């Protein structure tokens, strides 16, 4: 089975721009969660989608949004980028009633 | 709320055992996890333990759980250079499936 894939792997954007990141979960998994990893704050939960519905959201501003498609692929959008948004963005895939979450390789976003 | 704490660094000689410790606070946790992150990579799920268990062994990995003290440890037997990485302890909130991570323990394996 293919693992979780994330595209692109690297992005460089300028302050004020917006960015869209993509995550394809493991085949058959319907839950996708997004996490932000920074040296200062560590790993923080952004949101979780299940069957195209956002079920939970972390403590991030409204500039961070996401969606999930009928094939379970998920996108995350950050608008009006700030320097502090520079981070590794990880998505995690979970299937059925399992509590195992499998992570993708991440997208490294650099905001200049 | 959830709060997971880990020591930040561990240096171990190749061939020795490594023990990484973690404490958590969420009494409703049902699963506790260990993830490994190598430079430039995502998180690799190493192992996990259900909170009604005391121990789980998986090849070179042994997880010990002390529920009373909310203490979790990961022992890596016969540590190899490929085990050099950051190890994250995490607990899950079963109400929302949100993982709460510790800050990570950087393990350095020296020859």
């Amino acid at each position: 089975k293919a693992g979780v894939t994330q595209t692109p792997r690297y992005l460089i954007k300028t302050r004020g721009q917006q960015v869209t990141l993509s995550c394809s979960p493991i085949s058959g998994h319907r839950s996708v969660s997004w996490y932000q990893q920074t040296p200062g704050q560590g790993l923080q939960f952004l949101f979780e989608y299940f069957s195209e519905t956002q079920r939970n959201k972390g403590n991030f501003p409204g500039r961070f949004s996401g969606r999930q498609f009928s094939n379970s692929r998920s996108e995350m959008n950050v608008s009006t980028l700030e320097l502090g948004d520079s981070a590794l963005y990880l998505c995690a895939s979970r299937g059925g009633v399992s509590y195992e979450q499998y992570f993708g390789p991440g997208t490294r976003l650099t905001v200049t | 709320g959830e709060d997971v704490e880990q020591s930040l660094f561990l240096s171990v000689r190749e061939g020795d055992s490594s023990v990484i410790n973690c404490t958590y606070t969420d009494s409703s946790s049902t699963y506790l996890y260990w993830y490994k992150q190598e430079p430039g990579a995502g998180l690799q799920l190493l192992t996990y333990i259900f909170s009604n268990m005391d121990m789980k062994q998986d090849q070179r990995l042994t997880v010990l759980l002390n529920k009373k003290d909310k203490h979790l440890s990961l022992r890596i037997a016969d540590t190899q250079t490929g085990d050099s990485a950051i190890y994250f302890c995490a607990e899950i909130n079963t109400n929302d499936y949100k993982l709460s991570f510790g800050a990570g323990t950087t393990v350095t394996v020296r020859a």
Side-chain angles (χ1 to χ4, degrees), chain A residues 22-77:
Chain A
S22 180
C23 171
S24 292
I26 292 170
S27 177
H29 286 192
R30 293 164 63 190
S31 166
V32 173
S33 297
W34 288 89
Y35 291 82
Q36 182 196 63
Q37 185 179 26
T38 60
Q41 299 298 317
L43 282 150
Q44 294 186 290
F45 172 78
L46 279 155
F47 28 64
E48 188 223 1
Y49 286 87
F50 182 84
S51 292
E52 302 179 64
T53 301
Q54 185 184 91
R55 294 205 296 192
N56 300 292
K57 193 176 188 324
N59 189 25
F60 279 82
R63 301 184 297 106
F64 291 82
S65 63
R67 58 178 176 167
Q68 187 179 34
F69 302 94
S70 58
N71 62 358
S72 295
R73 187 178 70 87
S74 177
E75 287 183 347
M76 188 192 114
N77 185 275

Side-chain angles (χ1 to χ4, degrees), chain B residues 11-29:
Chain B
S11 178
V12 62
R13 188 179 303 179
E14 191 176 8
D16 287 351
S17 292
S18 310
V19 179
I20 308 166
N21 295 299
C22 167
T23 57
Y24 63 97
T25 58
D26 188 354
S27 60
S28 66
S29 294

Side-chain angles (χ1 to χ4, degrees), chain B residues 23-72:
Chain B
T23 57
Y24 63 97
T25 58
D26 188 354
S27 60
S28 66
S29 294
T30 55
Y31 283 91
L32 296 140
Y33 305 82
W34 286 103
Y35 283 90
K36 175 183 180 183
Q37 186 176 38
E38 297 182 76
L43 300 177
Q44 175 192 353
L45 176 60
L46 286 177
T47 186
Y48 59 95
I49 189 167
F50 190 56
S51 59
N52 69 353
M53 298 169 64
D54 297 322
M55 184 183 88
K56 180 179 180 182
Q57 188 157 0
D58 185 359
Q59 299 182 330
R60 293 190 298 122
L61 306 178
T62 302
V63 179
L64 294 177
L65 176 61
N66 180 326
K67 291 181 284 294
K68 175 175 166 290
D69 296 335
K70 293 191 172 62
H71 182 266
L72 183 74

Side-chain angles (χ1 to χ4, degrees), chain A residues 12-18 80-85 110-112:
Chain A
I12 300 175
K13 290 286 188 179
T14 305
R15 268 181 305 177
Q17 288 185 315
Q18 74 162 17
T80 319
L81 284 165
E82 300 177 0
L83 294 179
D85 297 334
T110 302
V111 182
T112 62

Side-chain angles (χ1 to χ4, degrees), chain A residues 9 35 37 43 45 48 55-56 88 90 94 99-105, chain B residues 31 33 35 37 40-43 45 48 88 92 94 96-99 101:
Chain A
R9 292 292 313 278
Y35 291 82
Q37 185 179 26
L43 282 150
F45 172 78
E48 188 223 1
R55 294 205 296 192
N56 300 292
L88 180 67
L90 294 159
R94 184 177 63 80
Y99 287 95
E100 297 171 38
Q101 295 197 29
Y102 297 93
F103 282 80
Chain B
Y31 283 91
Y33 305 82
Y35 283 90
Q37 186 176 38
L43 300 177
L45 176 60
Y48 59 95
F88 292 93
I92 196 164
T94 54
D96 60 18
Y97 298 102
K98 173 187 134 182
L99 285 167
F101 289 88

